Amino acid sequence: MTSHASAEPAPVALRAPAFILVRPQLGENIGAAARAMVNFGLDDLRIVAPRDGWPNERAIAAASRAFDFITPRIFPTLDEAMADLALVYATTGRRREFVKEVLGPRTAISRLEDASRSGIAAGILFGPERAGLETDEIASCQALLTLPVNPEFPSLNLGQIVVILTYEWAQARGRFSLGDVAFPQILASHAELAGLFDHLEAELNESGFFHPPEKTPAMIRNIRASLARPGFTEQEVRTWRGIIKALAHGRGRKNS
Amino acid sequence: MTSHASAEPAPVALRAPAFILVRPQLGENIGAAARAMVNFGLDDLRIVAPRDGWPNERAIAAASRAFDFITPRIFPTLDEAMADLALVYATTGRRREFVKEVLGPRTAISRLEDASRSGIAAGILFGPERAGLETDEIASCQALLTLPVNPEFPSLNLGQIVVILTYEWAQARGRFSLGDVAFPQILASHAELAGLFDHLEAELNESGFFHPPEKTPAMIRNIRASLARPGFTEQEVRTWRGIIKALAHGRGRKNS
């Protein structure tokens, strides 16, 4: 928003999709899911009938304090866990018996995010580790979500699937973006680099480096290209000028 | 490629980036990394001075047979492990003391993939779980790679970071793509749907459903829109025609 734009209402805090673990077996996977969710800014974790009850010591250990940030809601049945949701995708392997769209993670998350922006409550189901979701559970979802993995080794565990989807969601929403910064403010200017080139060329000329004379322009061009490439900072330019001075006039030269 | 295109050489099998685990502490994380790599079609796992030596029982257990597909190479030093690589990114948290680009995972993987396509051998370094990479190790890399996570809970473990990057790489290269299929071949045609509409409308008309008459066109339009939305298959059209027939002429009606 530009500074002269008229005041607009602050954006509504959009809900993140609910992640629903259905009858999870291993506390480690519940903890890993919670850890991934908090890392990527999701907060709606729901657990249907966890095999080992709740709370679960192994889940807490694997969560690495993620449960300080989110409190999972425990439901006896999947119908109760997804009662408020209008758009739900079911994670599955490459099954083909359903007449539903099979979406990859990027497409699926993009659609869930579009839905969230329209005020639609969305969620993703994750089945139990060994058996996966039951047919009836999948049938009640709007689409299937499948990770595109090696067909010879389709072996992601529940925690790995959750971390990929939480990551994709943070990317889709633009959360915690780094902006791929290149520190332009401290890169040396062209004038500083030109001063470095001039200094180096003068010393090399003095030392008889440029030989034969007809090749000098190409040699200079190559050196300039080489020094331009790294994206030197101001400090590095100063360092390299010190290096040139030392090589040309320093102790090593005096003793030779 | 179209069938009439002239024969072209098969694409060269491009190397995937090397994933280099530097002094990993936990066998579980080594195993999880291997498992993620095989799931997403990477094959170049290198390990520098693993704390607990090699082979490692915990790594093998966590890998879920991934070591049937890839054999990690063990190196005593990082210099040896990355000797053949020309473009190496170092995974780090949000450190700012280096004058290097800090890339998010999508940008970083995109650049590594571009490099691979140019024949440049590329890799990614992952530091030990607790301390991360040392300053000197980071300094010798071309850029930093940081996962964009919640600054209040930056707590991804090594296995989680690896699975995100292997996933991104498979996406960048287009491996194991699902194509987001919608099963168009078995969706009912317009004619089949039109037959269903006509059947339903005729029976509803017979039953006196359309009342008052002036609202009939809008009622028909709404029913048509409702039936068009789900994307019925041919089988579903047959099922619904059976439902209409049963409701209109079946046992329930006869007994009323």
Side-chain angles (χ1 to χ4, degrees), chain B residues 161-174:
Chain B
I161 294 169
V162 170
V163 77
I164 289 169
L165 295 175
T166 55
Y167 160 74
E168 273 288 5
W169 179 80
Q171 293 285 305
R173 187 163 286 191

Side-chain angles (χ1 to χ4, degrees), chain A residues 106-127:
Chain A
R106 197 156 295 168
T107 303
I109 292 292
S110 167
R111 289 198 196 174
L112 292 174
E113 177 63 6
D114 288 346
S116 293
R117 292 186 182 282
S118 304
I120 294 168
I124 304 175
L125 304 190
F126 301 86

Side-chain angles (χ1 to χ4, degrees), chain A residues 35 107 150 155 167-168 180, chain B residues 35 39 107 155 167-168 180:
Chain A
R35 184 175 184 172
T107 303
N150 185 349
S155 172
Y167 159 75
E168 272 288 4
D180 291 342
Chain B
R35 184 175 184 171
N39 266 283
T107 304
S155 171
Y167 160 74
E168 273 288 5
D180 292 341

Side-chain angles (χ1 to χ4, degrees), chain A residues 55-74:
Chain A
N56 177 318
E57 286 302 324
R58 286 173 173 271
I60 291 166
S64 186
R65 296 191 297 110
F67 291 123
D68 294 354
F69 295 81
I70 56 172
T71 302
R73 283 183 286 169
I74 314 297

